[in-house]
Amino acid sequence: MHFLSDNAAGASSKIMAAVVEACAGTSHPYGADQETRQAVDLLRQTFECDLSAYLVTTGTAANALALGAATTACGAILCHERAHVMSEECGAPEMFTGGAKLLGLPGERGKVSVAALAERLTRLKAGPGQSSRPRVLSLAQANEFGAVYTVQELQALTSRAHAEGMTVHMDGARFANAAAALNKAPAELTWKAGVDVLSFGVSKNGGIACEAVIFFDSALALEFQRQRKRAGHSLAKGRFLGAQMVAYLQDRHWLESATRANQQAARLAAGLSRAPGVRLPWARDVNLVFAIIPRRLNQKWRDLGAEYYEWPHQGLGLALAPDEVFVRLATSFATTPDEVDGFVAVAMTNAAGNGRRNTDWRADRASAERSLKNGAIQ
Ligand SMILES: *Cc1c(COP(=O)(O)O)cnc(C)c1O
């Protein structure tokens, strides 16, 4: 029962096989290899446009380097106050931008709102000119709370940012999960909606270690080859990054893996929504399920060896009782229905009293399967 993170899963067999295959023979180093060329071609097909793409090994590098290409050191990067770039990257965005200012915006469930963006831009402009110039809007799709932006929401945000001369960066560590959940073409969720540069994740969705920095605005990419080298992310054996990306994109493998992860999260959320004492704070969008659970259940799951994170609930507007815990449960391409059902079954037997209520988890499983088939949840 492993719901710690989607990056706790191993690699998909397709991606692993592609890396093994890429071991044979010699090839040009530093990304001048055939696999990387094919990966860029496939990215162009997938996003239906001419683009520049560079492969790196971590999402933090992808974000920090993308931001470094998008702003000068005197610029400000506007993002949600709970964004990964803000709080989970140990200052990498600050370092790779040469010290740009990150400004956190409020907003429900990790989403930046047009109102919050507009308010901050107005405030910055009204100042005496001593503050950083707003240069970048960074949005996570899907975000740290498993929420997605619709195409309309993206357009509203990006047009506001562009009107200010800003560049729009998208943190797509879970872009596949968002694209699968929204059932929209990658182009519609990115450049057609005003995104200029995308960190496109592979690692959390079946890769070994691979992310792409994708520039839809090629003017931003002029120095990127050197910026990546300077950061130590220009891999001598770049073919192994290329091979991962090729296998990821071929035959819609990336969308299939993300759909599987999302479906197991749907199954998990549906099961937990019927468990006694468990509260789900919002409707699930992708492969992250958040729940407010009785402390007793938390203990029971832990005793059985289940793994997941307790998550900081402060600032989310959730009212927790002293005997409640806020948790994040992540599913991945490798999560199995049995794993989900076993975990939910524990919650079903956690009713106050004799612990015998709702013990028939096979009936729950059958009902979840019916819902999935009927398209009630996906
Ligand atoms: C996981 C994640 C990243 C990338 O993290 P790395 O551990 O550096 O690969 C970036 N943004 C978000 C929103 C993430 O969840």
Side-chain angles (χ1 to χ4, degrees):
M1 299 189 287
H2 206 294
F3 303 98
L4 205 57
S5 177
D6 30 11
N7 60 18
S12 89
S13 49
K14 276 191 180 175
I15 291 177
M16 200 61 221
V19 169
V20 170
E21 200 180 319
C23 285
T26 57
S27 74
H28 288 259
Y30 301 111
D33 56 88
Q34 182 199 317
E35 288 84 353
T36 300
R37 266 200 302 278
Q38 194 186 349
V40 175
D41 281 345
L42 282 171
L43 284 168
R44 288 183 179 138
Q45 284 171 32
T46 303
F47 285 88
E48 302 175 80
C49 68
D50 193 20
L51 51 78
S52 309
Y54 302 85
L55 305 180
V56 296
T57 56
T58 70
T60 298
N63 283 342
L65 284 166
L67 294 170
T71 180
T72 61
C74 293
I77 298 158
L78 276 61
C79 59
H80 193 273
E81 60 194 4
R82 299 280 293 263
H84 200 274
V85 290
M86 178 65 106
S87 51
E88 308 289 328
E89 299 186 354
C90 203
E94 288 87 338
M95 182 163 86
F96 286 107
T97 55
K101 182 87 181 164
L102 269 81
L103 296 175
L105 302 172
E108 275 177 36
R109 202 185 157 190
K111 281 171 77 170
V112 174
S113 68
V114 180
L117 174 63
E119 192 273 334
R120 181 58 70 96
L121 288 172
T122 306
R123 194 149 37 108
L124 286 170
K125 273 196 285 197
Q130 307 287 323
S131 54
S132 308
R133 184 196 292 269
R135 287 280 189 192
V136 186
L137 171 65
S138 180
L139 305 168
Q141 176 81 316
N143 77 12
E144 297 71 10
F145 295 94
V148 291
Y149 292 92
T150 63
V151 170
Q152 291 74 15
E153 287 171 330
L154 287 175
Q155 273 162 348
L157 286 161
T158 62
S159 56
R160 188 71 185 80
H162 286 159
E164 224 59 51
M166 297 164 77
T167 294
V168 177
H169 165 249
M170 179 172 274
D171 176 354
R174 294 191 179 90
F175 184 81
N177 302 91
L182 290 160
N183 197 22
K184 293 276 181 216
E188 283 182 70
L189 294 172
T190 54
W191 61 275
K192 285 186 182 173
V195 174
D196 303 300
V197 52
L198 168 70
S199 303
F200 180 64
V202 179
S203 304
K204 282 192 167 114
N205 192 29
I208 300 167
C210 181
E211 316 277 315
V213 181
I214 300 175
F215 293 97
F216 301 109
D217 175 357
S218 56
L220 295 171
L222 284 179
E223 285 287 300
F224 198 77
Q225 195 111 309
R226 288 191 173 82
Q227 287 162 336
R228 182 180 61 168
K229 177 69 187 176
R230 188 162 181 261
H233 267 271
S234 184
L235 255 71
K237 296 189 180 178
R239 62 171 135 168
F240 294 115
L241 293 181
Q244 289 178 74
M245 186 61 82
V246 169
Y248 190 56
L249 295 174
Q250 267 175 349
D251 306 324
R252 296 169 61 83
H253 180 49
W254 66 293
L255 285 171
E256 275 174 21
S257 296
T259 300
R260 220 170 316 138
N262 290 357
Q263 279 179 344
Q264 293 316 316
R267 189 184 190 94
L268 181 59
L272 292 180
S273 71
R274 293 192 302 271
V278 173
R279 299 189 285 137
L280 304 181
W282 46 64
R284 172 215 64 90
D285 289 320
V286 288
N287 64 322
L288 300 178
V289 176
F290 291 82
I292 300 163
I293 63 164
R295 201 168 286 280
R296 240 183 78 164
L297 173 57
N298 189 41
Q299 195 53 53
K300 210 161 160 183
W301 272 335
R302 300 280 184 207
D303 289 348
L304 290 166
E307 292 197 87
Y308 50 88
Y309 286 120
E310 280 185 37
W311 213 251
H313 61 86
Q314 291 77 7
L316 295 174
L318 307 173
L320 263 70
D323 62 344
E324 286 183 320
V325 181
F326 188 51
V327 300
R328 187 194 79 166
L329 307 164
T331 56
S332 76
F333 73 97
T335 304
T336 64
D338 279 344
E339 204 175 352
V340 171
D341 295 345
F343 187 75
V344 169
V346 176
M348 289 297 176
T349 59
N350 189 54
N354 61 14
R356 282 178 175 277
R357 231 175 90 198
N358 292 335
T359 47
D360 189 1
W361 60 274
R362 280 180 190 81
D364 290 320
R365 178 170 172 173
S367 125
E369 258 157 18
R370 271 196 306 278
S371 310
L372 276 173
K373 219 183 315 179
N374 296 337
I377 47 178
Q378 48 165 300

